[in-house]
Amino acid sequence: MTLWVRFIDGKGASACGALESAGVRRYAGERCAEPEPTDEMLPLAALTLLPPCTPSKIVALWNNFEALRAKLGKAVPAHPLYLIKAASCVAGPGAEIRRPARYAGKIAFEGELGIVIGRRCKDVTVAEAASYIGGYTCVNDVTAAEILNENGDFAQWCRAKSFDGFGCLGPAIATQLDYASERVVTRVDGVERQNYPLADMIFPPAELVSRISHDMTLLPGDVIACGTSLGVGSMRDGASVEVTIGGIGSLTNTLAPAAHELPQGQASAA
Amino acid sequence: MTLWVRFIDGKGASACGALESAGVRRYAGERCAEPEPTDEMLPLAALTLLPPCTPSKIVALWNNFEALRAKLGKAVPAHPLYLIKAASCVAGPGAEIRRPARYAGKIAFEGELGIVIGRRCKDVTVAEAASYIGGYTCVNDVTAAEILNENGDFAQWCRAKSFDGFGCLGPAIATQLDYASERVVTRVDGVERQNYPLADMIFPPAELVSRISHDMTLLPGDVIACGTSLGVGSMRDGASVEVTIGGIGSLTNTLAPAAHELPQGQASAA
């Protein structure tokens, strides 16, 4: 099992490496496509980590955990239900999530498992799907909660979830993960807010990859965010949110205030 | 005014050119970022055109034309309402739209104006927006209509509109367009099905670019599909759909049958 990371090297370029007990071993080759290990070891604490992949799309599941489905009283979906987050929303480990300048409403965190696609994938079976999964990462699927249902005619899933910084990924891509024995734990300012088992997924990873690959071509680095479960909530400006999955690590991001604050009570640009 | 196209050159590589009366003048440089004209002129009829840009995202508007809004009895939106189509759905002029193998239901066409972003753009004003618009193209925003509301809890906008081939763009990018004096005309097998004025937009292009740039960073080549108006309908397998906008040209695509047909009456993979 390898834990792949991307980071900014001493010359300001993006680089690829693997976490080892002594630090990060640099690999030659940016794209983590059969990169070669080098002898260069870097101390993790000194590195600025980047998002571990650069997705062309983020497919984000809704209603994919049994416990949350039951609580909300929704039907079991017959097919994965998802929206697409703009790729421009990706943020890496440690990055600030900047509150949108024109939005003063609630911002929600959602700790999730992310599937990272390893190679181009279309119309694959469930049995084939595992070989197209490059690994797994942690996701904080951030949402401007008051935009979502602001318009009565049209649920604004894509807008509410695509602000720059609202797709937090990292810290690493674990190439192997016994997901069914792991849990997603989300802490806000150190207080546990989510702690749910990945075994509770309605459509598990191989099923998601197979089904979604019948809808669209999945490309290397694309992310399928598997959806969240109980405990979703909002975070105040300045809050630190940590999403932890055993076998992957902890993804921490802070919510920074807007660059220009709005008058009180004005929830959106509308 | 320039009409930019992309095409496959004699060596099988993608190339950039401009439409002139004598044919397509090849430009040096792929990305249409300040490319240099060459002396090479190619006959248009002999070229296989590619999508005129390679968007990182397609932002697709809903309820952005007054006539359709009034017909459907919807409220005037306070902010542009949109979904995101996966970039993997892009198809070029003349390309076949392949019916998804697991979907036997209605497939709808929507002729639309597409704004093509010219340079990286975030938080721009309406007055600034025009300088970030690289040009305009025709869009056929294809939809697997029966998937959209298949699930009562969650409108599947992104899934229904992101199948490979469902984002038809082209034939060219017109760098200048007096959009308010132009109309979108959609013909299915030569029969006119849509003919609506672009002056009827609720949020016109500069307003869309400004507002959406406050939601997310727009990148060069990104497409904002401005939404459609009256006359949307479905097309049978084998149908040819042509979207024409004066000043841009005509985008024609055909709907090809699925590679593997389903039993009659089975609308989706669900």
Side-chain angles (χ1 to χ4, degrees):
Chain A
M1 207 268 284
T2 305
L3 283 166
W4 291 108
V5 295
R6 289 174 64 246
F7 59 90
I8 300 176
D9 72 7
K11 293 172 181 168
S14 64
C16 168
L19 283 178
E20 298 183 5
S21 54
V24 174
R25 181 181 299 280
R26 184 168 184 158
Y27 275 62
E30 158 62 15
R31 284 166 165 245
C32 296
E34 301 183 38
E36 292 291 324
T38 71
D39 291 335
E40 191 178 347
M41 288 293 291
L42 301 153
L44 177 59
L47 295 179
T48 299
L49 293 182
L50 294 169
C53 57
T54 53
S56 76
K57 56 183 164 283
I58 302 171
V59 177
L61 272 286
W62 181 79
N63 192 12
N64 195 36
F65 279 84
E66 178 56 26
L68 184 55
R69 183 203 66 73
K71 184 188 174 197
L72 297 177
K74 302 297 182 187
V76 176
H79 186 89
L81 299 171
Y82 58 82
L83 58 106
I84 293 173
K85 288 171 79 95
S88 43
C89 80
V90 169
E96 275 186 354
I97 307 163
R98 176 72 63 180
R99 171 182 286 279
R102 294 186 173 181
Y103 178 73
K106 284 185 181 172
I107 296 181
F109 60 84
E110 296 181 8
E112 304 188 4
L113 175 69
I115 302 165
V116 182
I117 298 298
R119 53 198 180 105
R120 187 186 177 90
C121 171
K122 184 76 178 77
D123 293 339
V124 302
T125 65
V126 175
E128 292 165 341
S131 74
Y132 292 88
I133 296 175
Y136 297 89
T137 194
C138 303
V139 178
N140 185 353
D141 177 13
V142 181
T143 309
E146 293 171 31
I147 284 176
L148 187 53
N149 295 308
E150 188 178 63
N151 183 286
D153 294 321
F154 186 90
Q156 295 184 77
W157 288 103
C158 294
R159 182 179 172 222
K161 288 175 174 282
S162 287
F163 289 92
D164 291 4
F166 277 28
C168 306
L169 306 178
I173 296 171
T175 55
Q176 303 290 331
L177 185 74
D178 177 18
Y179 75 87
S181 66
E182 300 294 349
R183 305 179 70 87
V184 176
V185 178
T186 308
R187 294 182 184 88
V188 178
D189 290 332
V191 179
E192 186 175 295
R193 302 284 291 274
Q194 296 191 286
N195 185 337
Y196 66 87
L198 287 168
D200 189 43
M201 264 186 273
I202 295 171
F203 295 102
E207 188 80 30
L208 288 175
V209 170
S210 171
R211 298 261 201 155
I212 297 170
S213 82
H214 284 85
D215 294 346
M216 63 186 79
T217 299
L218 298 170
L219 298 173
D222 282 357
V223 170
I224 298 173
C226 294
T228 198
S229 190
L230 302 173
V232 169
S234 63
M235 46 194 180
R236 294 179 179 279
D237 289 9
S240 170
V241 180
E242 180 193 61
V243 179
T244 302
I245 299 175
I248 301 173
S250 293
L251 167 69
T252 304
N253 298 89
T254 54
L255 178 61
H260 304 286
E261 288 293 338
L262 285 178
Q264 290 283 321
Q266 186 176 344
S268 105
Chain B
M1 207 268 284
T2 305
L3 283 166
W4 290 109
V5 295
R6 289 174 63 246
F7 59 91
I8 300 176
D9 72 8
K11 293 173 180 166
S14 64
C16 167
L19 283 178
E20 298 183 6
S21 53
V24 174
R25 181 180 300 280
R26 184 168 182 158
Y27 275 63
E30 159 62 14
R31 285 166 163 245
C32 296
E34 301 182 37
E36 293 291 324
T38 71
D39 291 334
E40 190 178 348
M41 288 293 291
L42 301 153
L44 178 58
L47 295 179
T48 298
L49 294 183
L50 294 169
C53 58
T54 52
S56 77
K57 54 182 165 283
I58 302 172
V59 178
L61 272 285
W62 180 80
N63 192 13
N64 196 36
F65 279 84
E66 178 56 26
L68 184 56
R69 182 203 67 72
K71 183 188 174 197
L72 297 177
K74 301 298 183 187
V76 176
H79 185 89
L81 299 170
Y82 58 81
L83 57 105
I84 293 173
K85 288 171 79 95
S88 43
C89 80
V90 169
E96 275 186 353
I97 307 162
R98 176 71 63 180
R99 171 182 287 279
R102 293 186 174 181
Y103 178 73
K106 285 186 181 171
I107 296 181
F109 60 85
E110 297 181 8
E112 305 189 4
L113 175 69
I115 302 165
V116 183
I117 298 298
R119 53 198 179 102
R120 186 185 177 90
C121 171
K122 184 76 179 77
D123 292 341
V124 302
T125 65
V126 175
E128 292 165 340
S131 74
Y132 293 87
I133 296 176
Y136 296 90
T137 194
C138 303
V139 177
N140 186 353
D141 177 14
V142 181
T143 309
E146 292 172 32
I147 283 176
L148 187 53
N149 294 309
E150 188 179 65
N151 183 286
D153 293 323
F154 185 90
Q156 295 183 78
W157 288 103
C158 295
R159 182 179 171 221
K161 288 176 173 281
S162 287
F163 288 93
D164 290 5
F166 277 28
C168 305
L169 305 178
I173 296 171
T175 55
Q176 302 291 328
L177 185 75
D178 178 17
Y179 75 86
S181 65
E182 301 294 349
R183 304 179 70 87
V184 175
V185 178
T186 308
R187 295 183 184 87
V188 178
D189 290 333
V191 178
E192 186 175 294
R193 302 284 292 274
Q194 296 191 286
N195 186 337
Y196 67 87
L198 287 168
D200 190 43
M201 262 185 275
I202 295 172
F203 295 103
E207 189 81 29
L208 288 175
V209 170
S210 171
R211 296 259 202 157
I212 297 169
S213 82
H214 283 86
D215 294 346
M216 63 186 78
T217 298
L218 297 170
L219 298 172
D222 281 358
V223 170
I224 299 173
C226 294
T228 199
S229 190
L230 303 173
V232 169
S234 64
M235 46 194 179
R236 293 179 180 279
D237 288 9
S240 169
V241 180
E242 180 193 60
V243 179
T244 302
I245 300 175
I248 301 173
S250 292
L251 167 69
T252 304
N253 298 89
T254 54
L255 179 61
H260 303 285
E261 288 293 338
L262 284 179
Q264 291 283 323
Q266 187 175 343
S268 106

